[in-house]
Amino acid sequence: MEKKIRLRYAPSPTGFLHIGNTRTALFNYLLAKHYQGAFILRIEDTDVERNVEGAIASQLDNLRWLGIEPDETIDKPGQYGPYTQLERLQTYAQYANKLLATKKAYYCFCTAAELEASREKQLAQGYASPRYDRRCYRLSETEVNEKLKNNVPKSIRFFVPDQESYDFNDLVRGPVHFESKDLGDWVIMKSNGIPTYNFAVVIDDILMEISHVVRGEEHISNTPKQLMIYRAFEKEPPIFAHLTLIVNEQHKKLSKRDGHLMQFISQYREIGYLPNAIFNFIALLGWSPLGEEEIFTKEELIKIFDETRLSKSPSMFDVKKLTWMNNLYIKKMSDEEYLAFTKPFLASAYDLTNKADDWLTMLLLIYKKELQYGQEIVALTKPFFVPVTELSSETIGMLSNLNNYQELITEFRSQINQLTNWNEISIKEIISMLGKTLNVKGKDLFMPIRIFASHQEHGPELAKVIYLLGKEQVIKNIDNLLNSNEK
């Protein structure tokens, strides 16, 4: 590509970083970096009443946590600022005045009541899509000047040319065609001096020299209005790519009101999903690499990401797949990285002040291969902080199916109680010796010991579990279960 590559992500401060916005930001970032271009983050903050305090700071923080670093934004300005729309109001007014001067736009003095009355009349006449009737376009210059002189509230409407077509070649959908006859004259500047989205976004993209616009498919209907503004100013429009929907596991469009799925990146971050796992997973929502490989580093994705592999079909946000991928990334961590990652979750749930570092290290590492996300470590390790006092129905059922374990458990308790050097190796030796002495092996050996020692039928390596529980707790567990069986 010879043209300077500049892509942008332009969130509004009306909410926090959710899955859909993350995909949009990520695809813009990857495409920009693939072509050694710039990724810009600017803020569309003109919907003041809906703006949420802290939303933009949160979006920037979570994007950077994911590894999506803007080249230019509000706290990292370049030569194309300002990077918020409220700071550009004078610029929008200047461009609107240029359209007024060339008769490509006109003042509209209609009240909301007048506009609604016109709409109702058109609907009654059978028009499926009512549009503005151009009554203010037909005002004389004298009438316009009189209303301006008297400060009559006004907006500015774009004059949609008759019998024009608007075509673009979408990177996802191919050729897209619109006719001007299907669109009415639309407002570019509201009566409060705030530009409408379809006007402001084009002015911003022109001045920031945006080369590609990658966004969700809901913006397709906005594109003809935006192409009108490019044509009015005789500017070349960017290359458009309208990404397909992201759907949930029921194949319905993701909705922030869907309570079955966490919608915001901060939620995944808080419970211990890794940024590189989320980056990798979301990169595959609407784009596919060549071959079967799905696990890529950020650098690899930048190298292989291109516009020719964008999907034409909806993408499913499969939480199970994300969790599987997160587990792979956890397993790839060094032990030091893993311990630093998991300890804060443990410390937030349990008192670790009297726990030795070696004990904590062993406890955390025995779950490294199976841990799916950071917060899960709290539930996995709970038996080592809160003793299991009641057996589950499954464990009781398992115990009832075991035969002739009384001698094994009695001898195991005796050997454990006499053990002076409490360590994993010594515990393994006791279990091995009992198996040989009593001629039991496999499930008949390990299952009774596990259930009596830990009150659970499943868990990590048995000798490690016994060591971590400690002699006192293991004997207490055995005695409690033996006593309950005797009753």
Side-chain angles (χ1 to χ4, degrees), residues 6 188 228:
R6 290 175 57 81
I188 60 172
M228 291 176 191

Side-chain angles (χ1 to χ4, degrees), residues 3-265:
K3 188 177 181 180
K4 181 165 57 174
I5 304 302
R6 290 175 57 81
L7 288 92
R8 48 75 170 176
Y9 166 59
S12 63
T14 57
F16 299 95
L17 187 66
H18 58 75
I19 293 163
N21 275 354
T22 304
R23 197 264 300 262
T24 298
L26 179 57
F27 279 27
N28 277 279
Y29 174 83
L30 287 173
L31 194 58
K33 295 305 163 186
H34 178 73
Y35 290 108
Q36 295 81 49
F39 171 66
I40 295 91
L41 190 150
R42 68 167 188 251
I43 312 301
E44 295 179 349
D45 58 349
T46 54
D47 194 354
V48 178
E49 292 182 357
R50 295 180 60 229
N51 289 350
V52 175
E53 185 177 354
I56 288 303
S58 175
Q59 286 221 24
L60 271 168
D61 177 55
N62 282 296
L63 284 171
R64 284 169 168 155
W65 175 74
L66 287 171
I68 306 173
E69 176 63 49
D71 296 296
E72 304 167 26
T73 188
I74 51 176
D75 60 2
K76 192 178 180 181
Q79 65 186 70
Y80 295 88
Y83 293 88
T84 63
Q85 288 186 331
L86 285 178
E87 294 179 271
R88 303 170 70 90
L89 295 183
Q90 188 175 352
T91 300
Y92 305 131
Q94 290 171 353
Y95 276 82
N97 287 334
K98 289 180 182 180
L99 294 178
L100 288 169
T102 56
K103 307 299 184 185
K104 294 174 181 176
Y106 58 93
Y107 289 114
C108 178
F109 301 95
C110 295
T111 64
E114 290 171 332
L115 293 171
E116 181 60 26
S118 174
R119 179 179 176 277
E120 293 294 337
K121 181 179 178 181
Q122 291 179 58
L123 287 172
Q125 291 173 342
Y127 290 95
S129 301
R131 65 194 61 183
Y132 182 62
D133 59 15
R134 286 185 170 171
R135 69 180 70 177
C136 286
Y137 178 73
R138 294 188 290 271
L139 292 174
S140 68
E141 187 175 345
T142 301
E143 289 175 308
V144 171
N145 288 334
E146 184 66 22
K147 290 181 181 292
L148 292 174
K149 180 180 177 181
N150 292 324
N151 294 318
V152 177
K154 64 187 184 301
S155 61
I156 300 176
R157 285 185 184 273
F158 185 81
F159 181 82
V160 177
D162 297 328
Q163 297 181 333
E164 285 202 15
S165 61
Y166 299 92
D167 301 89
F168 64 98
N169 190 37
D170 192 274
L171 291 178
V172 177
R173 297 160 193 281
V176 182
H177 175 80
F178 291 95
E179 294 283 347
S180 63
K181 63 182 176 63
D182 298 322
L183 300 161
D185 295 354
W186 52 284
V187 173
I188 60 172
M189 294 290 286
K190 294 181 282 189
S191 59
N192 60 2
I194 300 292
T196 57
Y197 167 75
N198 284 312
F199 181 61
V201 73
V202 174
I203 303 306
D204 290 342
D205 284 347
I206 288 172
L207 295 177
M208 291 186 177
E209 299 182 17
I210 299 302
S211 63
H212 296 67
V213 171
V214 179
R215 58 192 182 186
E217 67 173 17
E218 68 272 14
H219 284 285
I220 291 178
S221 60
N222 291 321
T223 311
K225 291 182 178 180
Q226 294 170 15
L227 291 173
M228 291 176 191
I229 303 300
Y230 283 105
R231 190 172 295 181
F233 288 114
E234 299 181 350
K235 297 292 185 181
E236 181 185 353
I239 297 169
F240 290 99
H242 289 93
L243 306 173
T244 55
L245 290 175
I246 302 175
V247 297
N248 61 19
E249 293 177 3
Q250 289 72 46
H251 299 280
K252 295 181 180 179
K253 180 182 177 181
L254 283 190
S255 167
K256 283 179 271 189
R257 292 177 290 277
D258 184 352
H260 298 95
L261 177 68
M262 292 191 297
Q263 298 285 328
F264 298 97
I265 296 302

Side-chain angles (χ1 to χ4, degrees), residues 284-304:
L284 303 177
L285 293 179
W287 175 85
S288 61
L290 288 168
E292 300 298 320
E293 181 60 51
E294 292 186 299
I295 306 301
F296 300 99
T297 65
K298 174 180 172 179
E299 292 71 27
E300 288 170 339
L301 282 166
I302 288 172
K303 184 177 180 180
I304 65 177

